[in-house]
Amino acid sequence: MLPRLLLGPHRVLLAAPPLRRLRLARRAMSSAAAPAPAQRRRPLRGVVFDMDGTLTVPVIDWPAMHREIFGGETAYAAARAAGGGTIDILHLIESWGPDLQRHAYEVIARFEREGLDRLQIMPGASELCKFLDAKQIRRGLITRNVKDAVDLFHQRFGMPFVPALSREFRPYKPDPAPLLHICSTWNIPAHEVIMVGDSLKDDVVCGKRAGAITCLLDETGRYGPHDSLPEDVKPDFMVSSLAEVFTVLEKHFDLEQTKYYDGR
């Protein structure tokens, strides 16, 4: 009788006839030596970018603009406190009367016009776009800025994004509608698209609500470590520069599948 310690496959192996025992041993060695299959990477069909602070260097002094809209520091601080520390100025304005709305939009338009004169492309943006073009990955744009700013961006830097949705498209981010519109135009499911932006409350939330992959660009570390972010706004990826997006795409996605895909 075999000892009780010889259990499972070892017991079967020792109890078998010599020839069959040799075959079983070879089969077991072959199985143990076989490498585990590589984890399959997800296909990526499109990348959608925010513009201000993502494709272009931030140039608008948002606190100064908000202070002028609200009529001073005290009213601005009260509005921030009421919003939990943040202000979604476009949605807030929609709830105001006609005169207040007119004043607010005039202030925003002036700050945006002044920002256009200082428009600069973000380091790494041109190289990233060339990389996406080489991989035949579609690229789109969603911004809460006006169409004039998008047109100037296209004209000045020669990097067209299609579709490019500006503030004239309603509803705005963080509503998922603009991102879902782009996915529908491309005929690509949202889970095969990544949303890249510098705002948790606008870009990341928009992407998550649409069911897309999300990547937060945090150049200055203002949001803190990735693990410290609340789950409802935590992006799938977090980078400190557009150059790091290359690593994210190449490491986590199968970019070759896009070459055989026609999303029209």
Side-chain angles (χ1 to χ4, degrees), residues 117-132:
D117 296 334
R118 304 188 302 274
L119 193 64
Q120 301 177 51
I121 192 169
M122 186 71 79
S126 178
E127 294 80 2
L128 181 55
C129 288
K130 291 177 182 177
F131 173 79
L132 296 176

Side-chain angles (χ1 to χ4, degrees), residues 157-216:
F157 303 115
M159 298 187 302
F161 291 77
V162 182
L165 304 183
S166 58
R167 188 158 73 227
E168 287 76 8
F169 184 96
R170 303 288 185 94
Y172 318 117
K173 297 179 296 185
D175 193 287
L179 182 52
L180 291 174
H181 173 80
I182 290 180
C183 292
S184 176
T185 301
W186 286 343
N187 192 27
I188 296 175
H191 66 266
E192 294 182 354
V193 171
I194 185 168
M195 177 74 202
V196 181
D198 69 319
S199 170
L200 277 181
K201 67 181 183 67
D202 291 332
D203 304 314
V204 172
V205 172
C206 173
K208 292 175 77 71
R209 289 178 178 176
I213 309 155
T214 53
C215 180
L216 176 69

Side-chain angles (χ1 to χ4, degrees), residues 50-59 62 120 122 197-199 203 217-219 242:
D50 167 57
M51 191 174 81
D52 299 315
T54 302
L55 291 174
T56 60
V57 177
V59 293
W62 296 102
Q120 301 177 51
M122 186 71 79
D198 69 319
S199 170
D203 304 314
L217 173 61
D218 185 10
E219 284 194 298
L242 288 182

Side-chain angles (χ1 to χ4, degrees), residues 72-118:
E73 182 64 42
T74 301
Y76 171 50
R80 281 179 56 87
T86 62
I87 297 175
D88 189 332
I89 192 65
L90 295 180
H91 284 96
L92 188 60
I93 290 173
E94 290 180 347
S95 66
W96 295 353
D99 291 340
L100 291 176
Q101 281 190 1
R102 188 178 306 108
H103 166 72
Y105 285 129
E106 288 174 354
V107 172
I108 292 173
R110 175 162 48 81
F111 271 82
E112 289 177 338
R113 283 195 304 271
E114 294 170 355
L116 292 180
D117 296 334
R118 304 188 302 274

